[in-house]
Amino acid sequence: MTKTRFKSLTFKQTILVVLTALFFAIAIFILEVFLVVKAGTAELKQDQQELLDSVEQPLENALWGINVELGSQTLEGIMKVDHVASAEVLQDDNVLFVQAGESMSNKGDFLAVIGNQLFGPYEQVSRPLMSPSGFDSRAPELIGHLYISYNTRELAQSLFDQLKLSFFATLARALFITLVLSYIFHRFLTQPIAKIGEAIDQIDPEQPDNALLPTFSNHKDDELGLVTTKLNQILVQFSQTQNKLRKMATRDNLTGLPNRTLLLETIALAIQRAKHNQQQMALFFIDLDRFKNINDSLGHALGDQFLVKVAGLLRRFVGNKGTVARLGGDEFVIMQEHIRSANEAAEFVGQLLRQLQSPIKLEEHAVHPAASVGISIFPDDGTTAEDLIRHADMAMYSAKAAGSNQWAFFKQQMTEKAAVMLRTEASLHDAIINDEFLLHLQPKLDIRTGELLGCEALIRWQRDGRLISPMTFIPVAEETGIIIPIGRWVLEQSCKILSKWQKLYGKTTIIACNVSCKQFSSSSLVPDIKRLAMRYQIDPKLLEIEITETSLMNDIEPAIDKLRQLKSAGFGIAVDDFGTGYSSLSYLRHLPITTLKIDRAFISDLPEDSAIASTILMLGQQLKLNIVAEGIENEAQVKWLQQHGCVIGQGFYYSKPLSLEKFEQRYLVPTAQKKSS
């Protein structure tokens, strides 16, 4: 069945209020349009009559006296009136006397059409012109006509301008009303409902009356207050009844822990929460080793006492991080929600087994518990309570087959991976304490002359007389966060080496240190680097910080800010493995870097496939950056790089990474001897 998507009541209310407000706003606006048009035409008619009245007498005098100049002046005055397009005076025989303006075509565009529809009847007005009275005894007679034409398009434009202001004012009022009503609805209706919903989520199925629904003073005497009160009464009654029943049906008589029935219910509820929150959860099936020996040798009474003490130990260890249950006999189950990974589950069970190894006092006897633990993970190992328990039980038998105090996942590969991860993590902590790390240095040379231009510091782990590849432990260090202290160690050792070279040889060279993504995101990175440089009194330009494209693109703005701080302090900044990503090109010109390294993947294709290497070289040269080609392995690659202006090379063609002593003997001692001689 398709899951119905949750829709906020506040959102629904807001939409309803917006639509209602818009409907009334549009209705009011339409009414306002009608009233404005009506008032506008009435005002136009009045203005036309007033205009005709004001120019009638001067035009009659001009026409009677054949005074063309007076007639023209009068028409020019008419043309100054708003929206008048033309005016003309015709004699009684329809012969043109005077004329001003030009008649306009009010057809064509939208405004013209609207203007014709609204103001067509008022487009032209006229008035007969009579002979002035008082010249003789005869009654006034018709001597001509005055015609005034209006630009209906301008009239429509003026009306539209007026309505536009009115429209925006109406919209603003509608928006204001919408905001006010939305706030009122949210404040007094949906917010209390949301708080009640949140409170419902917090209800403990085992003790529902511990978290009653909130009541609101402004809803005491309405439907919401009534519903809340009734629900709280139901919760209290349900809790009282449930406590009585659960004590009889859902608790283990010996230990007081939840039994299988309650455990199944609890897991089912936890599964629903995990599905809703898209989280994992873990089930730990615990079987006590050699419990039969305790029963047989010490008796069932002490055996029961042993189980009670183990139950108490488990309850204290788990605390509020999970649920402990007893299935029967010597079998216990721990359910832990919000597990983020299998490694976290493995770490939890490791701590649990260490806790269980503490001796338990049974009268004059001291018993050392031991257990086998099977682990199943929701949803990978099952989506029902029964499946998770069954699979954890199966994993427990795998652990028991491996010996006492062992644990195993339902999926064997998870067990192996987690075990390796935990062992490696513990060994890395020991390696830092026991100073098992060392640095190897790979030179960077001038491709044209072979002169030493710098080197890259590469960490190695020396354990039990052998070197462990970084590919083995660096991913574990990254995932567990140990990479941060390891990276800090590399930086400090590099500073020590630079200080030593300056004192012994009077000369030093640039050392580049790789900084991982997690270390780069640490807020202490920049202060740590500055503090180390100051402590060992080294020139910042001798320490180059190498970062990857991934480090930059995870969060570009803070990354740029850190790089600017380092560059302004004088440290070199290199982008390692450049070209393996796709985002850096657009940001490259904004990055405060000094060096660009071409990834070995593009160098290995030379000279046959040189498109990407050529592009990176061209970009770097245009931005005036140092370009380092890493992973050089043969003469053909060197020749191509020389021909295309790449200055700095690094790779097995020149040298593999060397121990500190070998690097000094090959590159620094000869230089120092030349100076002394």
Side-chain angles (χ1 to χ4, degrees):
M1 186 170 65
T2 304
K3 184 179 178 182
T4 303
R5 196 175 72 178
F6 175 77
K7 293 182 179 179
S8 167
L9 183 58
T10 300
F11 176 75
K12 291 181 179 179
Q13 282 183 168
T14 302
I15 293 298
L16 182 61
V17 170
V18 167
L19 293 176
T20 305
L22 283 177
F23 172 78
F24 282 106
I26 292 171
I28 292 171
F29 179 70
I30 291 172
L31 178 61
E32 192 171 359
V33 169
F34 174 76
L35 295 175
V36 168
V37 170
K38 186 175 180 180
T41 54
E43 183 180 359
L44 177 61
K45 288 170 62 177
Q46 182 180 351
D47 290 345
Q48 287 176 337
Q49 292 305 313
E50 290 176 355
L51 178 61
L52 290 172
D53 291 343
S54 66
V55 300
E56 179 181 9
Q57 185 66 45
L59 288 175
E60 286 178 345
N61 292 337
L63 186 59
W64 180 257
I66 315 298
N67 189 340
V68 175
E69 183 178 355
L70 176 60
S72 298
Q73 290 176 353
T74 304
L75 291 192
E76 287 176 3
I78 292 174
M79 294 304 299
K80 294 179 180 178
V81 176
D82 290 342
H83 313 307
V84 173
S86 64
E88 61 183 10
V89 176
L90 300 180
Q91 297 177 13
D92 56 350
D93 56 358
N94 289 331
V95 175
L96 181 66
F97 177 62
V98 287
Q99 182 182 30
E102 296 180 358
S103 60
M104 297 183 63
S105 173
N106 288 326
K107 298 179 180 179
D109 61 13
F110 173 75
L111 282 175
V113 173
I114 295 298
N116 286 333
Q117 292 291 327
L118 296 177
F119 302 105
Y122 312 103
E123 182 178 0
Q124 188 179 70
V125 292
S126 65
R127 177 166 288 187
L129 301 177
M130 312 300 291
S131 61
S133 59
F135 286 96
D136 50 35
S137 58
R138 289 182 301 175
E141 61 182 22
L142 180 70
I143 60 174
H145 285 86
L146 166 64
Y147 295 94
I148 301 175
S149 297
Y150 282 77
N151 188 331
T152 57
R153 189 185 187 284
E154 286 188 6
L155 289 169
Q157 180 67 57
S158 176
L159 179 66
F160 268 44
D161 291 342
Q162 181 181 352
L163 289 175
K164 185 164 58 176
L165 275 177
S166 175
F167 177 71
F168 285 121
T170 303
L171 279 184
R173 288 194 297 269
L175 176 61
F176 176 74
I177 292 171
T178 298
L179 292 175
V180 171
L181 290 178
S182 296
Y183 173 76
I184 291 173
F185 280 138
H186 176 71
R187 176 69 177 80
F188 294 102
L189 183 59
T190 56
Q191 189 178 60
I193 292 175
K195 288 183 178 179
I196 290 172
E198 292 174 0
I200 290 174
D201 286 338
Q202 301 301 319
I203 293 175
D204 185 351
E206 292 190 5
Q207 295 178 319
D209 58 343
N210 280 1
L212 296 178
L213 305 182
T215 57
F216 305 93
S217 58
N218 54 341
H219 288 289
K220 283 183 178 179
D221 54 354
D222 60 18
E223 293 84 348
L224 188 60
L226 179 63
V227 169
T228 305
T229 302
K230 292 295 183 182
L231 284 175
N232 281 336
Q233 291 174 359
I234 291 172
L235 288 174
V236 172
Q237 294 171 0
F238 179 71
S239 179
Q240 293 171 352
T241 305
Q242 180 175 269
N243 288 338
K244 294 177 183 178
L245 294 174
R246 284 184 179 275
K247 285 181 180 179
M248 295 185 293
T250 61
R251 293 284 171 175
D252 176 57
N253 292 330
L254 178 64
T255 62
L257 293 175
N259 62 12
R260 185 182 186 89
T261 301
L262 180 55
L263 177 65
L264 289 172
E265 294 177 6
T266 306
I267 295 174
L269 290 172
I271 286 174
Q272 294 301 318
R273 287 194 294 270
K275 286 180 178 177
H276 181 267
N277 299 322
Q278 295 184 341
Q279 293 177 329
Q280 292 180 303
M281 58 174 284
L283 215 64
F284 303 88
F285 196 106
I286 304 166
D287 183 85
L288 300 178
D289 297 335
R290 302 185 300 276
F291 175 68
K292 186 176 183 301
N293 295 340
I294 296 173
N295 260 344
D296 292 344
S297 60
L298 302 180
H300 289 284
L302 288 183
D304 288 347
Q305 187 179 343
F306 174 73
L307 291 175
V308 170
K309 291 193 175 185
V310 168
L313 187 151
L314 293 176
R315 189 188 290 113
R316 288 191 300 274
F317 175 77
V318 173
N320 59 1
K321 295 183 293 185
T323 299
V324 183
R326 183 189 177 209
L327 295 189
D330 60 347
E331 294 178 339
F332 296 85
V333 171
I334 295 176
M335 181 196 73
Q336 189 178 23
E337 298 185 67
H338 314 305
I339 286 287
R340 289 171 294 186
S341 66
N343 293 330
E344 188 175 330
E347 186 175 350
F348 176 85
V349 76
Q351 295 172 357
L352 171 64
L353 288 176
R354 287 193 291 273
Q355 189 73 22
L356 278 173
Q357 290 173 9
S358 303
I360 291 177
K361 188 74 173 176
L362 298 175
E363 294 182 352
E364 70 274 12
H365 306 283
V367 179
H368 292 266
S372 300
V373 183
I375 309 169
S376 61
I377 303 290
F378 171 85
D380 296 338
D381 299 334
T383 55
T384 66
E386 292 83 356
D387 286 345
L388 290 171
I389 291 175
R390 186 174 69 257
H391 291 160
D393 188 12
M394 293 169 63
M396 181 273 295
Y397 280 105
S398 296
K400 191 175 285 290
S404 182
N405 275 329
Q406 299 295 319
W407 54 267
F409 282 102
F410 173 65
K411 294 178 180 176
Q412 183 61 29
Q413 62 269 32
M414 292 175 65
T415 304
E416 295 170 356
K417 182 180 177 182
V420 170
M421 180 76 72
L422 289 174
R423 287 197 300 270
T424 306
E425 180 183 358
S427 299
L428 286 172
H429 282 292
D430 293 340
I432 295 174
I433 297 171
N434 300 330
D435 198 23
E436 296 177 1
F437 292 117
L438 52 88
L439 286 186
H440 280 194
L441 304 171
Q442 187 172 30
K444 299 178 184 178
L445 305 177
D446 188 318
I447 292 177
R448 300 161 301 181
T449 65
E451 178 188 358
L452 179 70
L453 299 179
C455 61
E456 180 177 359
L458 301 169
I459 191 168
R460 296 292 185 267
W461 183 9
Q462 190 169 26
R463 188 172 182 82
D464 300 329
R466 63 186 183 89
L467 290 179
I468 300 175
S469 168
M471 299 300 294
T472 303
F473 66 88
I474 291 297
V476 177
E478 279 275 9
E479 186 171 343
T480 59
I482 304 176
I483 194 67
I484 294 177
I486 289 177
R488 192 179 296 120
W489 179 88
V490 171
L491 288 168
E492 182 166 10
Q493 293 302 310
S494 299
C495 291
K496 283 183 179 179
I497 291 171
L498 288 170
S499 177
K500 170 190 171 184
W501 286 350
Q502 186 64 43
K503 293 174 183 176
L504 286 182
Y505 307 111
K507 178 186 182 299
T508 189
T509 189
I510 297 172
I511 295 182
C513 298
N514 291 284
V515 173
S516 71
C517 293
K518 189 163 288 188
Q519 185 183 4
F520 187 72
S521 63
S522 170
S523 59
S524 65
L525 176 69
V526 175
D528 282 348
I529 293 173
K530 290 181 178 179
R531 186 165 50 250
L532 288 171
M534 185 178 298
R535 177 182 176 185
Y536 291 100
Q537 296 294 301
I538 65 166
D539 188 344
K541 69 181 181 182
L542 296 175
L543 190 63
E544 187 174 70
I545 308 302
E546 286 193 6
I547 54 176
T548 62
E549 286 189 72
T550 307
S551 300
L552 292 171
M553 294 309 139
N554 283 343
D555 201 350
I556 187 67
E557 295 303 328
I560 290 176
D561 181 59
K562 285 184 180 180
L563 296 183
R564 282 177 179 157
Q565 293 181 52
L566 291 171
K567 188 175 182 181
S568 63
F571 297 97
I573 302 169
V575 175
D576 196 9
D577 301 337
F578 184 78
T580 57
Y582 59 90
S583 303
S584 295
L585 292 176
S586 59
Y587 287 101
L588 186 58
R589 59 191 181 89
H590 299 296
L591 298 177
I593 61 176
T594 57
T595 303
L596 202 59
K597 297 188 74 174
I598 307 175
D599 186 68
R600 66 182 66 249
F602 307 124
I603 300 300
S604 64
D605 293 335
L606 298 178
E608 290 79 11
D609 187 356
S610 60
I612 296 179
S614 298
T615 302
I616 297 174
L617 274 168
M618 180 181 66
L619 281 171
Q621 289 163 358
Q622 288 178 350
L623 295 173
K624 298 181 180 179
L625 300 175
N626 297 321
I627 310 295
V628 179
E630 59 179 357
I632 299 174
E633 296 182 351
N634 56 57
E635 183 69 26
Q637 294 169 353
V638 173
K639 288 182 179 179
W640 187 94
L641 291 167
Q642 287 175 338
Q643 292 169 0
H644 290 79
C646 182
V647 177
I648 308 172
Q650 176 184 353
F652 285 4
Y653 176 78
Y654 297 109
S655 172
K656 293 182 179 180
L658 302 172
S659 66
L660 176 61
E661 294 75 13
K662 290 182 178 179
F663 184 89
E664 290 174 347
Q665 289 297 321
R666 180 180 294 186
Y667 294 104
L668 297 181
V669 172
T671 305
Q673 290 174 346
K674 286 180 182 178
K675 282 188 176 181
S676 62
S677 61

